[in-house]
Amino acid sequence: MSTSATQPAVGMLTSAEQRSAARQLTLAMLALGLLGLGLVWRWFMPLQVGTSQLLLGFASLLVAVPVMRSAWYSLRYPSLHGITDQLIALAMLGAWATGDLLTAALLPIIMIFGHVLEERSVIGSQEAIHALGKLTRSQARLFQADGSLQEVDNASLKRGDQVEVRAGDRVPADGVVLSGQASLDTASITGESVPLEVSAGMPIFGGAINLDGLLRVEVTRTGDESTLGKVIALMQNAERSKPPITRLLERYAGGYMVLVLMIAAVTWFITNDAQAMLAVLVAACPCALVLSAPATAIAGIAVAARHGILIRSSAFLEELADLTSLVVDKTGTLTYGTLRLQAIESDLTGHQPLLQLAASLGAASSHPVSRALAGLVSHEQMLALTEVRERQGLGVVASTGQGEAALGRPELFKQLGIVTTPVPGHDGPIAGLSLGGEFLGWLLLADSVKPEARQALSELRELGLGRQVLLTGDRQSVAEHLARVVGISEVQAQALPENKLTRVLSEIERGFRPMVVGDGINDSLALKAGVVGVAMGAGGSDIALASSDIVLIGSDLRRLGTCVRLSRACRHTLQVNVVIGLGWTLAIVAAAAFGWLGVAGAMIAALLHNLSTLLVLGNAGRLLRFHEPLQALVDER
């Protein structure tokens, strides 16, 4: 007897469902006690058959209630687990009809114990979700209006609150570091074993642990809107989804039931053996086959979450295994998506004074180039500026103790009458710098390539995704340069969202099965159209995350290879499980039909049935040992 009356095929057990399972287990224990007493009575007092039968009858009635209730529920709400409920109920009615009260009692007891073990295994594989759920609740040290600190529950935090995170504390919510430096353990969220070094201005995840240092953090997202909240929601959604093979089995569930009843009827007609007929009904219960896909999917989803990979639907664990091409965005995916200083062209022997001046002027402007330069030195190292004037679209001019300083485009220095060196050729923003009327040099900025990008794409080629296309809205020259750096041969630049969608659809029409990787709003259409869409979770837009099938929380591209390898491991495990479930069931049915299981055929069939179920769960559990730690990369920026 399964618990489909209270439990979906795949999903989290509620407290009510767990209480129901506990009640069933209690009834099974009581029935087992009565059954044992009846057998002992029969052994020591063989002449008092009536008393023994009465005890066995009470035992069978105790477990009859949950059996019949589940069978009735499965008739009203058909499901794969419902077939098991119906077959066990029929076998129990058959045992009653033939006067075999021992089988009528022992059969459902064995099945209840078997299904309790199944539920225990499902609960065990959900430990990743429970562990993450615990991370969402913690205490926070909230700054009050008067500057004092108050200990509060992190559930009461709201956007804009400022909190203190000491060494050893858990970060209470997503936020931005206002001051301080620390190393954060983010392994429970991103799967990254190397601590993350954070400082002022950097975003951090709720649930991370502060290993050292003292941080002042401004809260940006809380509760379900936080990264951790989205992680848990995505994992729960993935658990509730049905793998393709499960949907296939459901389509033929009705026909399977008719076939089993026909085999049981033919067995009874030929052998005139009620035990053989009951054994067929029990042996045909498809629990192992039904559990093969959900157990594999749940284990795969839990392992993926441990690696910082969120899978929105278990179906994509199978899709990932057959991908043949990659369509990847540039900005925020292969690159960081933010401007960084690439080079300095200056005749000065030391660059530190130049960086100090550039950062000081950059902090006085809101332009993206200026903001990128403002982070070159710490706030304490910046120079005092007066008479700051921002020239719209050109740059910034300000007075310093050494004269007038200027930062900006080449046109700014023409207006100021300052002679510059030749403007260098560069695919990206260029900012000049002068002090006291003397030109100091050029600062060349660009979006930096992620250090793991080349390695990640090489891994994907080795895994069979040999066709790789760079699809970006950036300029052709920038796209081609990046493609050469990371090893991509095909480029489509200056692509609008509709162009990206068209290109992905074209890849599918040509027979390829593309993985589409992106992070921005303009990638959402392409992500949805791909066979599998992967969003970069750390900096990705909400629309991109909603359009994707998989989210990389840590945004490390090497996890794309992990996705494919895990998917192939899941597919292999699923194939083995289906062979176990189907082959074992057919073998037991054949043995039962030919009367090879003996006079206690129904009970032996029940024991063998539960053994096959445990084999399937054990094989799926082997997936939980899958582990791919990321090695530290040298940042070549």
Side-chain angles (χ1 to χ4, degrees):
M1 184 273 305
S2 80
T3 55
S4 65
T6 56
Q7 177 189 343
V10 185
M12 298 287 288
L13 294 179
T14 65
S15 57
E17 290 164 348
Q18 292 184 40
R19 284 195 300 270
S20 174
R23 283 196 299 270
Q24 292 172 18
L25 185 59
T26 302
L27 287 174
M29 294 291 289
L30 290 173
L32 186 61
L34 288 173
L35 185 146
L37 186 59
L39 291 176
V40 170
W41 197 286
R42 179 182 294 181
W43 178 266
F44 287 105
M45 299 181 180
L47 298 179
Q48 297 184 13
V49 178
T51 304
S52 175
Q53 289 289 86
L54 189 62
L55 289 170
L56 294 179
F58 276 134
S60 66
L61 287 174
L62 276 177
V63 287
V65 174
V67 168
M68 297 305 172
R69 180 173 177 270
S70 294
W72 174 249
Y73 184 93
S74 66
L75 288 173
R76 295 171 59 200
Y77 305 100
S79 69
L80 284 175
H81 277 276
I83 295 175
T84 300
D85 300 330
Q86 294 163 25
L87 288 174
I88 295 300
L90 285 173
M92 194 171 185
L93 290 172
W96 274 340
T98 58
D100 187 355
L101 295 180
L102 177 61
T103 299
L106 189 56
L107 183 61
I109 289 173
I110 293 173
M111 301 304 287
I112 286 175
F113 280 122
H115 284 288
V116 167
L117 288 176
E118 290 174 23
E119 290 174 352
R120 182 58 244 167
S121 299
V122 171
I123 293 171
S125 67
Q126 295 166 344
E127 288 178 355
I129 297 178
H130 288 299
L132 285 175
K134 291 177 182 177
L135 299 185
T136 61
R137 299 306 300 271
S138 64
Q139 294 298 112
R141 291 169 58 82
L142 176 65
F143 281 98
Q144 302 297 305
D146 59 1
S148 63
L149 288 167
Q150 181 182 356
E151 194 99 357
V152 299
D153 192 300
N154 70 333
S156 65
L157 295 177
K158 57 185 182 299
R159 183 187 179 100
D161 284 346
Q162 294 186 14
V163 295
E164 181 182 77
V165 183
R166 300 168 299 180
D169 287 352
R170 194 178 297 281
V171 178
D174 287 5
V176 175
V177 178
L178 297 178
S179 62
Q181 285 185 311
S183 300
L184 298 185
D185 179 1
T186 62
S188 58
I189 306 165
T190 66
E192 176 58 71
S193 58
V194 178
L196 176 67
E197 304 296 327
V198 298
S199 56
M202 294 182 64
I204 59 176
F205 297 128
I209 297 175
N210 185 359
L211 299 177
D212 54 32
L214 180 67
L215 298 176
R216 182 168 183 147
V217 178
E218 181 177 336
V219 175
T220 56
R221 290 180 297 189
T222 62
D224 293 340
E225 295 301 314
S226 68
T227 300
L228 196 55
K230 291 178 180 178
V231 168
I232 296 169
L234 286 176
M235 287 184 66
Q236 290 173 339
N237 288 338
E239 270 208 314
R240 285 191 290 268
S241 66
K242 295 178 181 178
I245 192 170
T246 300
R247 294 195 294 270
L248 180 66
L249 291 172
E250 285 179 341
R251 188 183 309 166
Y252 298 104
Y256 179 81
M257 187 67 177
V258 173
L259 177 63
V260 170
L261 293 177
M262 288 178 61
I263 294 173
V266 169
T267 300
W268 193 15
F269 179 77
I270 294 175
T271 65
N272 198 29
D273 184 353
Q275 270 294 322
M277 178 199 69
L278 296 178
V280 168
L281 292 176
V282 176
C285 292
C287 281
L289 187 60
V290 169
L291 282 172
S292 60
T296 303
I298 291 172
I301 290 166
V303 170
R306 196 172 67 218
H307 288 77
I309 303 164
L310 300 185
I311 299 177
R312 297 174 64 90
S313 168
S314 56
F316 294 101
L317 281 170
E318 297 179 47
E319 300 280 6
L320 274 164
D322 297 317
L323 296 174
T324 58
S325 68
L326 173 73
V327 177
V328 61
D329 176 48
K330 180 185 80 73
T331 306
T333 305
L334 294 175
T335 67
Y336 286 99
T338 56
L339 291 174
R340 296 165 186 257
L341 181 63
Q342 296 291 302
I344 300 174
E345 293 201 2
S346 172
D347 295 331
L348 295 178
T349 54
H351 290 166
Q352 185 58 34
L354 189 146
L355 295 177
Q356 192 174 15
L357 179 60
S360 303
L361 290 166
S365 171
S366 59
H367 192 276
V369 172
S370 298
R371 287 202 301 269
L373 294 173
L376 293 175
V377 300
S378 65
H379 183 74
E380 292 77 13
Q381 293 177 291
M382 290 186 182
L383 304 174
L385 302 178
T386 58
E387 300 180 22
V388 178
R389 302 177 301 282
E390 185 165 4
R391 301 286 185 88
Q392 194 66 36
L394 295 177
V396 182
V397 178
S399 296
T400 70
Q402 298 173 283
E404 186 176 71
L407 172 72
R409 298 162 59 91
E411 293 82 0
L412 173 64
F413 300 100
K414 287 183 181 179
Q415 287 189 7
L416 296 174
I418 297 173
V419 179
T420 68
T421 57
V423 179
H426 175 62
D427 278 327
I430 297 175
L433 188 65
S434 69
L435 179 62
E438 180 184 352
F439 186 73
L440 301 179
W442 296 104
L443 305 175
L444 283 58
L445 294 91
D447 188 2
S448 301
V449 181
K450 291 182 177 179
E452 78 276 8
R454 187 176 184 87
Q455 177 188 339
L457 297 186
S458 175
E459 283 184 9
L460 290 177
R461 285 192 288 272
E462 292 173 1
L463 290 168
L465 282 75
R467 177 176 174 79
Q468 297 182 345
V469 181
L470 176 60
L471 200 55
T472 177
D474 213 333
R475 301 187 306 279
Q476 186 74 30
S477 59
V478 175
E480 289 177 351
H481 172 72
L482 175 65
R484 287 193 298 272
V485 170
V486 299
I488 293 180
S489 58
E490 190 161 347
V491 175
Q492 182 173 339
Q494 296 177 308
L496 297 173
E498 55 267 29
N499 302 135
K500 294 185 176 185
L501 173 62
T502 302
R503 182 56 186 262
V504 172
L505 294 176
S506 172
E507 291 288 309
I508 295 174
E509 288 172 2
R510 294 168 64 181
F512 294 102
R513 294 176 58 79
M515 171 195 285
V516 181
V517 187
D519 80 315
I521 294 174
N522 59 347
D523 300 319
S524 57
L525 293 176
L527 288 169
K528 203 70 175 175
V531 173
V532 174
V534 182
M536 311 306 286
S541 71
D542 289 342
I543 294 178
L545 298 183
S547 303
S548 64
D549 307 308
I550 293 171
V551 180
L552 301 185
I553 290 298
S555 295
D556 192 309
L557 290 165
R558 289 173 294 172
R559 285 305 184 201
L560 295 175
T562 302
C563 287
V564 176
R565 284 186 288 270
L566 175 60
S567 174
R568 291 176 182 175
C570 285
R571 183 171 64 178
H572 176 72
T573 301
L574 176 59
Q575 289 169 345
V576 173
N577 278 347
V578 170
V579 169
I580 293 173
L582 187 59
W584 194 285
T585 300
L586 291 175
I588 302 174
V589 169
F594 287 107
W596 296 342
L597 299 183
V599 293
M603 285 178 284
I604 293 174
L607 291 171
L608 291 175
H609 160 270
N610 282 330
L611 180 58
S612 69
T613 299
L614 293 178
L615 285 174
V616 164
L617 292 172
N619 188 48
R622 291 171 60 245
L623 273 174
L624 298 173
R625 291 184 292 180
F626 183 98
H627 183 54
E628 286 192 359
L630 291 177
Q631 301 299 319
L633 278 172
V634 177
D635 194 337
E636 300 175 354
R637 288 171 283 164

PDB file of all heavy atoms in Angstrom, residues 169-192:
ATOM      1  N   ASP A 169      29.435  35.125  12.324  1.00  0.00           N
ATOM      2  CA  ASP A 169      27.998  35.331  12.099  1.00  0.00           C
ATOM      3  C   ASP A 169      27.610  34.885  10.699  1.00  0.00           C
ATOM      4  O   ASP A 169      28.416  34.888   9.765  1.00  0.00           O
ATOM      5  CB  ASP A 169      27.638  36.814  12.256  1.00  0.00           C
ATOM      6  CG  ASP A 169      27.660  37.269  13.701  1.00  0.00           C
ATOM      7  OD1 ASP A 169      27.806  36.398  14.580  1.00  0.00           O
ATOM      8  OD2 ASP A 169      27.549  38.489  13.944  1.00  0.00           O
ATOM      9  N   ARG A 170      26.323  34.557  10.561  1.00  0.00           N
ATOM     10  CA  ARG A 170      25.765  34.276   9.246  1.00  0.00           C
ATOM     11  C   ARG A 170      25.171  35.557   8.678  1.00  0.00           C
ATOM     12  O   ARG A 170      24.476  36.285   9.388  1.00  0.00           O
ATOM     13  CB  ARG A 170      24.679  33.206   9.357  1.00  0.00           C
ATOM     14  CG  ARG A 170      24.266  32.608   8.022  1.00  0.00           C
ATOM     15  CD  ARG A 170      23.230  31.521   8.206  1.00  0.00           C
ATOM     16  NE  ARG A 170      23.711  30.388   8.967  1.00  0.00           N
ATOM     17  CZ  ARG A 170      24.472  29.424   8.473  1.00  0.00           C
ATOM     18  NH1 ARG A 170      24.855  29.479   7.219  1.00  0.00           N
ATOM     19  NH2 ARG A 170      24.865  28.421   9.236  1.00  0.00           N
ATOM     20  N   VAL A 171      25.454  35.855   7.414  1.00  0.00           N
ATOM     21  CA  VAL A 171      24.903  37.056   6.782  1.00  0.00           C
ATOM     22  C   VAL A 171      23.380  36.910   6.768  1.00  0.00           C
ATOM     23  O   VAL A 171      22.847  35.941   6.223  1.00  0.00           O
ATOM     24  CB  VAL A 171      25.447  37.228   5.354  1.00  0.00           C
ATOM     25  CG1 VAL A 171      24.830  38.455   4.698  1.00  0.00           C
ATOM     26  CG2 VAL A 171      26.967  37.341   5.370  1.00  0.00           C
ATOM     27  N   PRO A 172      22.634  37.855   7.362  1.00  0.00           N
ATOM     28  CA  PRO A 172      21.188  37.658   7.550  1.00  0.00           C
ATOM     29  C   PRO A 172      20.339  37.837   6.296  1.00  0.00           C
ATOM     30  O   PRO A 172      19.213  37.363   6.251  1.00  0.00           O
ATOM     31  CB  PRO A 172      20.833  38.710   8.606  1.00  0.00           C
ATOM     32  CG  PRO A 172      21.855  39.789   8.419  1.00  0.00           C
ATOM     33  CD  PRO A 172      23.122  39.095   8.018  1.00  0.00           C
ATOM     34  N   ALA A 173      20.851  38.555   5.288  1.00  0.00           N
ATOM     35  CA  ALA A 173      20.064  38.805   4.074  1.00  0.00           C
ATOM     36  C   ALA A 173      21.013  39.250   2.969  1.00  0.00           C
ATOM     37  O   ALA A 173      22.173  39.594   3.222  1.00  0.00           O
ATOM     38  CB  ALA A 173      18.999  39.879   4.332  1.00  0.00           C
ATOM     39  N   ASP A 174      20.525  39.246   1.727  1.00  0.00           N
ATOM     40  CA  ASP A 174      21.331  39.785   0.632  1.00  0.00           C
ATOM     41  C   ASP A 174      21.591  41.265   0.887  1.00  0.00           C
ATOM     42  O   ASP A 174      20.707  41.982   1.380  1.00  0.00           O
ATOM     43  CB  ASP A 174      20.589  39.640  -0.701  1.00  0.00           C
ATOM     44  CG  ASP A 174      20.544  38.202  -1.190  1.00  0.00           C
ATOM     45  OD1 ASP A 174      21.005  37.323  -0.449  1.00  0.00           O
ATOM     46  OD2 ASP A 174      20.058  37.962  -2.302  1.00  0.00           O
ATOM     47  N   GLY A 175      22.776  41.728   0.536  1.00  0.00           N
ATOM     48  CA  GLY A 175      23.080  43.137   0.768  1.00  0.00           C
ATOM     49  C   GLY A 175      24.344  43.577   0.064  1.00  0.00           C
ATOM     50  O   GLY A 175      24.955  42.827  -0.700  1.00  0.00           O
ATOM     51  N   VAL A 176      24.711  44.818   0.338  1.00  0.00           N
ATOM     52  CA  VAL A 176      25.937  45.414  -0.198  1.00  0.00           C
ATOM     53  C   VAL A 176      26.806  45.836   0.976  1.00  0.00           C
ATOM     54  O   VAL A 176      26.311  46.444   1.931  1.00  0.00           O
ATOM     55  CB  VAL A 176      25.625  46.635  -1.098  1.00  0.00           C
ATOM     56  CG1 VAL A 176      26.910  47.310  -1.553  1.00  0.00           C
ATOM     57  CG2 VAL A 176      24.802  46.216  -2.300  1.00  0.00           C
ATOM     58  N   VAL A 177      28.101  45.517   0.914  1.00  0.00           N
ATOM     59  CA  VAL A 177      29.022  45.876   1.994  1.00  0.00           C
ATOM     60  C   VAL A 177      29.265  47.388   1.970  1.00  0.00           C
ATOM     61  O   VAL A 177      29.686  47.946   0.950  1.00  0.00           O
ATOM     62  CB  VAL A 177      30.361  45.126   1.839  1.00  0.00           C
ATOM     63  CG1 VAL A 177      31.324  45.554   2.937  1.00  0.00           C
ATOM     64  CG2 VAL A 177      30.130  43.625   1.881  1.00  0.00           C
ATOM     65  N   LEU A 178      28.975  48.047   3.084  1.00  0.00           N
ATOM     66  CA  LEU A 178      29.222  49.489   3.190  1.00  0.00           C
ATOM     67  C   LEU A 178      30.634  49.769   3.688  1.00  0.00           C
ATOM     68  O   LEU A 178      31.277  50.719   3.250  1.00  0.00           O
ATOM     69  CB  LEU A 178      28.201  50.125   4.142  1.00  0.00           C
ATOM     70  CG  LEU A 178      26.732  50.057   3.707  1.00  0.00           C
ATOM     71  CD1 LEU A 178      25.842  50.681   4.769  1.00  0.00           C
ATOM     72  CD2 LEU A 178      26.531  50.754   2.366  1.00  0.00           C
ATOM     73  N   SER A 179      31.116  48.942   4.601  1.00  0.00           N
ATOM     74  CA  SER A 179      32.470  49.130   5.119  1.00  0.00           C
ATOM     75  C   SER A 179      32.968  47.814   5.700  1.00  0.00           C
ATOM     76  O   SER A 179      32.185  46.945   6.085  1.00  0.00           O
ATOM     77  CB  SER A 179      32.497  50.208   6.199  1.00  0.00           C
ATOM     78  OG  SER A 179      31.700  49.844   7.314  1.00  0.00           O
ATOM     79  N   GLY A 180      34.301  47.680   5.751  1.00  0.00           N
ATOM     80  CA  GLY A 180      34.919  46.495   6.320  1.00  0.00           C
ATOM     81  C   GLY A 180      35.393  45.521   5.257  1.00  0.00           C
ATOM     82  O   GLY A 180      35.052  45.642   4.068  1.00  0.00           O
ATOM     83  N   GLN A 181      36.204  44.565   5.681  1.00  0.00           N
ATOM     84  CA  GLN A 181      36.706  43.509   4.817  1.00  0.00           C
ATOM     85  C   GLN A 181      36.565  42.183   5.547  1.00  0.00           C
ATOM     86  O   GLN A 181      36.718  42.115   6.772  1.00  0.00           O
ATOM     87  CB  GLN A 181      38.182  43.732   4.459  1.00  0.00           C
ATOM     88  CG  GLN A 181      38.416  44.833   3.435  1.00  0.00           C
ATOM     89  CD  GLN A 181      39.887  44.925   3.044  1.00  0.00           C
ATOM     90  OE1 GLN A 181      40.751  44.957   3.916  1.00  0.00           O
ATOM     91  NE2 GLN A 181      40.162  44.970   1.760  1.00  0.00           N
ATOM     92  N   ALA A 182      36.272  41.107   4.777  1.00  0.00           N
ATOM     93  CA  ALA A 182      36.110  39.806   5.406  1.00  0.00           C
ATOM     94  C   ALA A 182      36.187  38.707   4.357  1.00  0.00           C
ATOM     95  O   ALA A 182      36.069  38.956   3.148  1.00  0.00           O
ATOM     96  CB  ALA A 182      34.775  39.725   6.147  1.00  0.00           C
ATOM     97  N   SER A 183      36.383  37.483   4.825  1.00  0.00           N
ATOM     98  CA  SER A 183      36.305  36.296   3.974  1.00  0.00           C
ATOM     99  C   SER A 183      34.987  35.599   4.284  1.00  0.00           C
ATOM    100  O   SER A 183      34.682  35.353   5.448  1.00  0.00           O
ATOM    101  CB  SER A 183      37.469  35.347   4.259  1.00  0.00           C
ATOM    102  OG  SER A 183      38.701  35.987   4.015  1.00  0.00           O
ATOM    103  N   LEU A 184      34.208  35.295   3.236  1.00  0.00           N
ATOM    104  CA  LEU A 184      32.897  34.670   3.424  1.00  0.00           C
ATOM    105  C   LEU A 184      32.903  33.240   2.903  1.00  0.00           C
ATOM    106  O   LEU A 184      33.401  32.972   1.800  1.00  0.00           O
ATOM    107  CB  LEU A 184      31.807  35.465   2.697  1.00  0.00           C
ATOM    108  CG  LEU A 184      31.552  36.900   3.139  1.00  0.00           C
ATOM    109  CD1 LEU A 184      30.363  37.473   2.381  1.00  0.00           C
ATOM    110  CD2 LEU A 184      31.317  36.986   4.630  1.00  0.00           C
ATOM    111  N   ASP A 185      32.335  32.340   3.692  1.00  0.00           N
ATOM    112  CA  ASP A 185      32.122  30.964   3.263  1.00  0.00           C
ATOM    113  C   ASP A 185      30.759  30.893   2.583  1.00  0.00           C
ATOM    114  O   ASP A 185      29.721  30.980   3.238  1.00  0.00           O
ATOM    115  CB  ASP A 185      32.166  30.031   4.470  1.00  0.00           C
ATOM    116  CG  ASP A 185      31.918  28.569   4.095  1.00  0.00           C
ATOM    117  OD1 ASP A 185      31.730  28.294   2.893  1.00  0.00           O
ATOM    118  OD2 ASP A 185      31.913  27.722   4.998  1.00  0.00           O
ATOM    119  N   THR A 186      30.748  30.746   1.240  1.00  0.00           N
ATOM    120  CA  THR A 186      29.490  30.707   0.481  1.00  0.00           C
ATOM    121  C   THR A 186      29.214  29.308  -0.066  1.00  0.00           C
ATOM    122  O   THR A 186      28.396  29.150  -0.959  1.00  0.00           O
ATOM    123  CB  THR A 186      29.538  31.711  -0.688  1.00  0.00           C
ATOM    124  OG1 THR A 186      30.606  31.330  -1.577  1.00  0.00           O
ATOM    125  CG2 THR A 186      29.782  33.120  -0.195  1.00  0.00           C
ATOM    126  N   ALA A 187      29.889  28.276   0.466  1.00  0.00           N
ATOM    127  CA  ALA A 187      29.780  26.926  -0.089  1.00  0.00           C
ATOM    128  C   ALA A 187      28.343  26.409  -0.096  1.00  0.00           C
ATOM    129  O   ALA A 187      27.941  25.701  -1.009  1.00  0.00           O
ATOM    130  CB  ALA A 187      30.677  25.969   0.693  1.00  0.00           C
ATOM    131  N   SER A 188      27.561  26.758   0.928  1.00  0.00           N
ATOM    132  CA  SER A 188      26.190  26.245   1.013  1.00  0.00           C
ATOM    133  C   SER A 188      25.283  26.841  -0.053  1.00  0.00           C
ATOM    134  O   SER A 188      24.206  26.315  -0.327  1.00  0.00           O
ATOM    135  CB  SER A 188      25.606  26.543   2.398  1.00  0.00           C
ATOM    136  OG  SER A 188      25.632  27.930   2.656  1.00  0.00           O
ATOM    137  N   ILE A 189      25.709  27.953  -0.668  1.00  0.00           N
ATOM    138  CA  ILE A 189      24.874  28.626  -1.666  1.00  0.00           C
ATOM    139  C   ILE A 189      25.423  28.439  -3.073  1.00  0.00           C
ATOM    140  O   ILE A 189      24.703  28.089  -4.002  1.00  0.00           O
ATOM    141  CB  ILE A 189      24.766  30.135  -1.355  1.00  0.00           C
ATOM    142  CG1 ILE A 189      24.279  30.325   0.077  1.00  0.00           C
ATOM    143  CG2 ILE A 189      23.826  30.829  -2.334  1.00  0.00           C
ATOM    144  CD1 ILE A 189      24.485  31.712   0.600  1.00  0.00           C
ATOM    145  N   THR A 190      26.724  28.683  -3.250  1.00  0.00           N
ATOM    146  CA  THR A 190      27.329  28.645  -4.582  1.00  0.00           C
ATOM    147  C   THR A 190      28.062  27.350  -4.865  1.00  0.00           C
ATOM    148  O   THR A 190      28.416  27.080  -6.008  1.00  0.00           O
ATOM    149  CB  THR A 190      28.326  29.799  -4.756  1.00  0.00           C
ATOM    150  OG1 THR A 190      29.432  29.594  -3.857  1.00  0.00           O
ATOM    151  CG2 THR A 190      27.675  31.126  -4.448  1.00  0.00           C
ATOM    152  N   GLY A 191      28.344  26.542  -3.835  1.00  0.00           N
ATOM    153  CA  GLY A 191      29.124  25.336  -4.034  1.00  0.00           C
ATOM    154  C   GLY A 191      30.615  25.601  -4.122  1.00  0.00           C
ATOM    155  O   GLY A 191      31.406  24.681  -4.307  1.00  0.00           O
ATOM    156  N   GLU A 192      31.018  26.844  -3.982  1.00  0.00           N
ATOM    157  CA  GLU A 192      32.425  27.233  -4.092  1.00  0.00           C
ATOM    158  C   GLU A 192      33.122  27.035  -2.751  1.00  0.00           C
ATOM    159  O   GLU A 192      32.728  27.617  -1.743  1.00  0.00           O
ATOM    160  CB  GLU A 192      32.520  28.708  -4.526  1.00  0.00           C
ATOM    161  CG  GLU A 192      33.934  29.250  -4.593  1.00  0.00           C
ATOM    162  CD  GLU A 192      34.807  28.453  -5.527  1.00  0.00           C
ATOM    163  OE1 GLU A 192      34.601  28.535  -6.742  1.00  0.00           O
ATOM    164  OE2 GLU A 192      35.694  27.743  -5.013  1.00  0.00           O
TER     165      GLU A 192
END
